Amino acid sequence: MGLLGAATLVALIFILGGATRERDHALRAQTHSYDVMILARSLSGTMARSEASLGRYVISGDRSLGQLYFDQWRLAASQIDRLGRLTHDDAGQAGRMERLRRAFDARGRELAETALATNYGKNSQAFARYYQARKAQPLTALDGTLDAIIARERALLDQRTSAADATVVRASRIAFALAVFGVLLVLGAIALGWVTVMAVEERASAKEEAEDQRERAEELATAVAQATHELRAQEAKLRQAQKMDAVGQLTGGIAHDFNNMLAVVLGGLELAALHLDDHPDLARRNIDSAAEGANRAAALTRRLLAFSREEALRPESLVAADLVTGMSDLLDRTLGDAITLLFDDRSVGWRVRADRVQLENAVLNLAVNARDAMHGRGTLSIATNFRTLKAGEVDGCGAGDHVTLAVTDTGHGMTPEVAERVFEPFFTTKEAGKGTGLGLSQIFAMVDQMGGGIAIDTAPGRGTTVTLFLPRDMAVSAAQPVDAPAPLRPRAPDNLRVLVVEDDPRVLAATMSALEELGHHPIPCDDPLTAPDLLDRHDPVDLVVSDVLMPRQTGPEMVANFAARHGDVAVLFVTGFAGDNNAVDFGDRPVLRKPYTLVGLERAIGAAITAERPRMTSQGTAATMDPDSIAAE
């Protein structure tokens, strides 16, 4: 209320001040108009007196009257200049003043001729000119222009007077309104005081009630926090139980496969040992069979590492059909023997660009959901195809070529109400403890990130088909020829001095034997802390082959310690598991995955020796030698 009162007072002062300024301005304008009209009248009188003096001069020939005429005419000229200065701010008057000056100059020339005739004694001619000048056009123009100037100023005077009166009236009305508003403010302040007194009493009462409510809220918050802690603990236990259940289902099939592979390896080696002397060909076949079993075990291990996301995510161009068929062993072990798995590829080799691990997880999640929908028994079909979509044909998909990946089960199907919610996070139709409800939501997020879409065809009693629409990758098919030869990896030179750093004595012995078989001179080292001393004693050393994870020091840490003295030594890291490559600083040096063959070791050594190795100041990503590329050899 105080602010409103102060604002009202300021507004009142401002309005009254504005009215005063308007009035002063109107008075100055009126004075100006009066000055213009008086000066115009004076100019007319001066010119009349000048012409009268000229007439007396013509009649009498008295030169003093001629001088009076000349002085009066000069005074009239100065009055015209002054009149021009007074009216310079009025565009309309400026035009009239221009006409006035032209008429004045013309009239002056006429009168000057009459005065000259008189001055030279030509009285008859002077009389004639004087009487003609009294009816000349310049005189009429002078009178008319002066009358127009006076009329214009009179009109301006009337307008300014009316505007000033209107301003005064408006200011008076506003001042009256502000005065009334001030009175209302006073009355409002009185009412507000009464309301304030009542509010203080109510506030005291409300404060007591709020204090009671706060105490109850604190008690409730404590109870909620305790309940939330208990729920989180139960949720953690449930998640752990679900993880252990999934691991149990997966490890059963993995153990079965590993037992089969180990049986092939051990049996092949045992038969090779029995027939090594008497039947070398049979021994060779048994050794090849054992090597094949070992390669299958290595491939299965790599697939498990990829499935557990221990390797870095890398989007790449994939043939969807090849990815699905490559998962056949993993799907067979995961789904169980009671599920009949069928594959149908009609995608004609179309590619998609995706992360292999994400896409494999999506296929595996869909397969596991289908198995649960069939209660562990039935037929599961995975089909890949191609399709060209129109805009808006499938939600989330743009127009263009797409690869379709459809997973079909013979389960109980879903109602339309359930099908609408399957992609909601944490929504599941499974029993408690049987699912998290995150699988399909993660698949939806992956497909949406790729710019694709998902369609579900289901009904109670006729199973479910989930179809992924993945945009076709056109860049690779257009840029790479179909039969482009694979580039050869560099071959290692012979007779290298190689320091082998490995904490496992059996792996150390096997690596030493492999290097000797390749024609190199290995130097054993079972402790990474002694590697710098061995490098000094056996200098020069051409290559260091080091394990990555060792008890006392990692391979990259060891290399960093001796880099100052032996920075020109090539390094090859060998590991069976290094987690995410981006989490370990390999210094842009090559990494060879275990297990490996002699050919793979030879090529990795060649790459380490011949490749340029720029030293990176930030974390580098190692160039990994993938055993898949050498498994056939």
Side-chain angles (χ1 to χ4, degrees):
M1 297 295 286
L3 290 176
L4 287 175
T8 302
L9 181 60
V10 170
L12 187 59
I13 294 173
F14 178 77
I15 293 298
L16 294 178
T20 301
R21 288 191 297 273
E22 289 291 337
R23 183 193 60 192
D24 294 341
H25 178 70
L27 290 176
R28 288 193 298 272
Q30 289 174 353
T31 301
H32 178 270
S33 296
Y34 283 129
D35 290 342
V36 171
M37 288 188 291
I38 291 172
L39 184 57
R41 293 300 183 189
S42 298
L43 173 61
S44 179
T46 301
M47 288 188 297
R49 288 193 297 274
S50 176
E51 291 187 17
S53 298
L54 178 61
R56 290 194 295 271
Y57 172 55
V58 170
I59 295 172
S60 64
D62 187 356
R63 290 184 178 274
S64 62
L65 292 176
Q67 184 63 39
L68 180 61
Y69 145 74
F70 181 72
D71 293 339
Q72 291 291 331
W73 196 256
R74 287 183 60 187
L75 176 61
S78 64
Q79 289 176 340
I80 289 177
D81 293 337
R82 182 183 173 192
L83 185 62
R85 289 194 296 272
L86 287 176
T87 59
H88 76 280
D89 57 345
D90 189 343
Q93 293 287 49
R96 297 183 182 90
M97 286 301 303
E98 184 63 27
R99 292 196 300 273
L100 180 64
R101 287 190 179 93
R102 289 198 300 269
F104 180 78
D105 292 341
R107 183 63 174 172
R109 288 191 296 270
E110 292 177 351
L111 296 180
E113 291 176 356
T114 302
L116 286 174
T118 303
N119 189 41
Y120 289 110
K122 298 178 181 180
N123 292 334
S124 60
Q125 184 179 358
F127 280 125
R129 288 183 179 276
Y130 181 75
Y131 282 109
Q132 288 177 358
R134 292 177 61 85
K135 299 179 181 180
Q137 193 274 337
L139 178 60
T140 306
L142 280 172
D143 294 338
T145 303
L146 285 174
D147 292 340
I149 291 174
I150 294 172
R152 169 65 177 173
E153 289 299 325
R154 185 177 289 109
L156 287 175
L157 179 62
D158 294 339
Q159 293 176 2
R160 290 165 179 169
T161 303
S162 301
D165 294 341
T167 301
V168 171
V169 172
R170 183 170 63 254
S172 300
R173 291 176 179 174
I174 296 175
F176 176 76
L178 289 175
V180 172
F181 184 69
V183 173
L184 294 177
L185 283 178
V186 173
L187 297 176
I190 296 173
L192 184 60
W194 179 79
V195 171
T196 302
V197 173
M198 299 298 296
V200 169
E201 296 178 358
E202 293 180 359
R203 181 180 179 183
S205 175
K207 186 175 181 180
E208 296 178 359
E209 184 178 355
E211 188 66 24
D212 295 338
Q213 293 292 340
R214 186 183 62 81
E215 294 177 357
R216 287 196 294 269
E218 290 179 353
E219 295 175 358
L220 180 60
T222 302
V224 170
Q226 183 177 359
T228 302
H229 178 73
E230 294 176 356
L231 286 175
R232 288 178 177 173
Q234 294 296 329
E235 181 183 359
K237 292 179 181 179
L238 178 60
R239 270 199 310 269
Q240 185 63 24
Q242 291 173 349
K243 289 180 182 179
M244 295 305 298
D245 179 64
V247 170
Q249 294 179 13
L250 185 60
T251 53
I254 298 302
H256 177 269
D257 273 359
F258 265 106
N259 287 332
N260 289 341
M261 297 171 190
L262 291 175
V264 173
V265 174
L266 295 176
L269 293 176
E270 185 177 9
L271 291 174
L274 291 175
H275 300 288
L276 187 61
D277 296 328
D278 52 350
H279 294 88
D281 294 339
L282 181 59
R284 178 64 181 176
R285 287 197 300 272
N286 290 326
I287 291 175
D288 290 342
S289 178
E292 181 184 358
N295 286 332
R296 290 185 60 199
L300 183 59
T301 301
R302 290 193 303 276
R303 192 168 297 280
L304 287 175
L305 287 175
F307 177 68
S308 63
R309 288 192 179 275
E310 293 295 347
E311 294 182 350
L313 300 179
R314 294 190 299 269
E316 56 183 305
S317 182
L318 303 171
V319 178
D322 294 347
L323 180 138
V324 173
T325 54
M327 296 177 62
S328 58
D329 290 341
L330 183 62
L331 290 172
D332 284 337
R333 297 283 70 81
T334 303
L335 300 179
D337 296 334
I339 299 295
T340 301
L341 189 59
L342 303 177
F343 295 98
D344 182 18
D345 175 29
R346 300 182 183 181
S347 62
V348 297
W350 280 19
R351 291 176 172 267
V352 297
R353 185 164 188 82
D355 177 70
R356 179 183 295 273
V357 175
Q358 284 186 331
L359 195 53
E360 286 182 347
N361 283 343
V363 174
L364 187 61
N365 274 328
L366 291 175
V368 170
N369 284 344
R371 178 201 64 188
D372 295 341
M374 296 184 291
H375 302 291
R377 184 177 301 275
T379 301
L380 189 147
S381 302
I382 302 179
T384 54
N385 208 331
F386 65 92
R387 185 171 173 183
T388 300
L389 299 178
K390 299 178 181 178
E393 187 173 351
V394 176
D395 291 342
C397 290
D401 294 340
H402 289 73
V403 176
T404 64
L405 195 157
V407 178
T408 304
D409 63 60
T410 57
H412 50 73
M414 293 180 287
T415 62
E417 293 77 12
V418 174
E420 289 180 357
R421 301 187 58 192
V422 292
F423 296 118
E424 296 179 7
F426 305 107
F427 176 78
T428 179
T429 58
K430 300 177 183 178
E431 301 175 359
K434 296 296 183 180
T436 62
L438 293 175
L440 287 177
S441 64
Q442 291 175 344
I443 295 173
F444 180 85
M446 180 204 73
V447 174
D448 181 69
Q449 186 177 11
M450 293 174 61
I454 302 181
I456 294 183
D457 182 17
T458 184
R462 66 174 179 88
T464 300
T465 298
V466 180
T467 304
L468 308 184
F469 292 86
L470 308 177
R472 182 187 180 186
D473 183 16
M474 302 293 294
V476 173
S477 59
Q480 293 183 351
V482 176
D483 298 325
L488 296 177
R489 292 178 181 168
R491 182 180 180 85
D494 297 331
N495 300 320
L496 297 176
R497 292 171 65 87
V498 183
L499 178 65
V500 183
V501 185
E502 174 61 64
D503 63 306
D504 190 324
R506 293 169 298 178
V507 178
L508 178 61
T511 306
M512 296 278 293
S513 300
L515 290 171
E516 291 173 352
E517 184 69 24
L518 293 175
H520 304 301
H521 303 289
I523 303 168
C525 177
D526 59 359
D527 187 354
L529 297 180
T530 63
D533 294 335
L534 288 174
L535 285 173
D536 293 336
R537 289 203 305 268
H538 296 278
D539 189 56
V541 174
D542 302 303
L543 175 68
V544 174
V545 178
S546 173
D547 192 14
V548 175
L549 299 180
M550 292 178 284
R552 303 181 66 184
Q553 193 178 50
T554 66
E557 291 173 345
M558 175 196 70
V559 172
N561 288 336
F562 69 68
R565 288 184 294 174
H566 303 279
D568 56 341
V569 178
V571 177
L572 172 64
F573 291 113
V574 182
T575 183
F577 171 70
D580 189 347
N581 285 344
N582 292 323
V584 181
D585 185 5
F586 292 106
D588 201 29
R589 297 180 174 91
V591 178
L592 179 63
R593 295 285 189 180
K594 301 175 184 176
Y596 51 83
T597 64
L598 285 177
V599 176
L601 178 60
E602 182 182 21
R603 291 184 174 178
I605 292 174
I609 292 295
T610 61
E612 296 182 1
R613 303 184 302 276
R615 295 295 177 255
M616 301 170 60
T617 57
S618 59
Q619 284 190 343
T621 302
T624 304
M625 302 297 174
D626 190 354
D628 285 340
S629 63
I630 58 175
E633 304 183 36

